[in-house]
Structures are given as C-alpha cells and as structure tokens.
Amino acid sequence: MSTVPYWLQKQRKPDLQELAAHVGLKNYDKLLKTELEVALDDHLRTNQTRLQNDPLASAFYKRKESPVKRESGGATATSVVDEVKKPKQRRPTLKAREELGQP
C-alpha cells in the first residue's frame, strides 16, 4: 500500500467526502477517513489527466516534488549534504585533560 499524500491526510472527513462526490468517486459514504484518503489518492492518480485542472482537485497535484529539491534551486542532493556543517571535535574529558597535563 502506498503512502497517502499529506494534503489528503490533513483534510477533514466532510471535506474529503465533498471532494469524492465532486470527482466522481463512488461508494465513499461508509468509508472510514483513512480508507477514504486511500480511495481518493488512487482515484485522483488514476484520473490525473481529467482532474488536474479541476479547482477542487488541483491542490492534490500541486506538490509533486520535495521541498528540499525546490529550495536548493536545482542543486543535487550531494551538494546539499556537503553544505551541512560538520560537528566540532568534542572537548577532552576530565581524565584526558589530566593525562595531557591540562588543568
């Protein structure tokens, strides 16, 4: 089973039911919220060409890429990792200081 997009997960059940009715999903009345999310995800992906310009369904199709890739302005994943600061070397413990002759 694939993961359901966050956009569907954060919607309230009445909103999901309204979207289901609008896009033509059948037998959605008795589904639990999580089941409705999965059914809508499947239906919206299957009918993308027909529904991507629909005002109610368009928010589902807006976020296809990860925010990290979009913010980096086309940078590769390795360049983003290279930009992460390396942690500083840890201070020696008290016992190590005594061995080195430091106070």
Side-chain angles (χ1 to χ4, degrees):
M1 181 167 104
S2 66
T3 59
V4 176
Y6 179 70
W7 183 82
L8 283 176
Q9 292 176 355
K10 71 178 185 174
Q11 301 299 314
R12 294 178 26 217
K13 186 174 179 182
D15 298 332
L16 292 174
Q17 289 174 328
E18 179 184 348
L19 178 61
H22 182 75
V23 299
L25 186 65
K26 297 180 181 182
N27 302 324
Y28 63 87
D29 324 8
K30 296 179 181 170
L31 295 177
L32 298 174
K33 182 178 184 281
T34 53
E35 294 169 339
L36 184 55
E37 291 168 0
V38 172
L40 270 170
D41 180 42
D42 184 48
H43 184 76
L44 290 171
R45 287 179 194 272
T46 304
N47 298 297
Q48 180 174 358
T49 55
R50 183 173 57 91
L51 297 171
Q52 65 187 358
N53 295 325
D54 186 284
L56 277 180
S58 63
F60 175 82
Y61 300 109
K62 284 185 181 178
R63 300 279 314 254
K64 286 290 184 179
E65 59 188 34
S66 75
V68 172
K69 289 181 184 176
R70 188 177 45 190
E71 289 172 3
S72 65
T76 61
T78 55
S79 66
V80 172
V81 172
D82 292 340
E83 293 174 10
V84 175
K85 293 182 179 180
K86 294 183 179 178
K88 295 181 180 180
Q89 185 177 4
R90 293 177 62 182
R91 296 186 334 187
T93 62
L94 186 57
K95 186 175 180 180
R97 285 185 193 166
E98 292 172 356
E99 291 174 0
L100 293 174
Q102 296 178 351

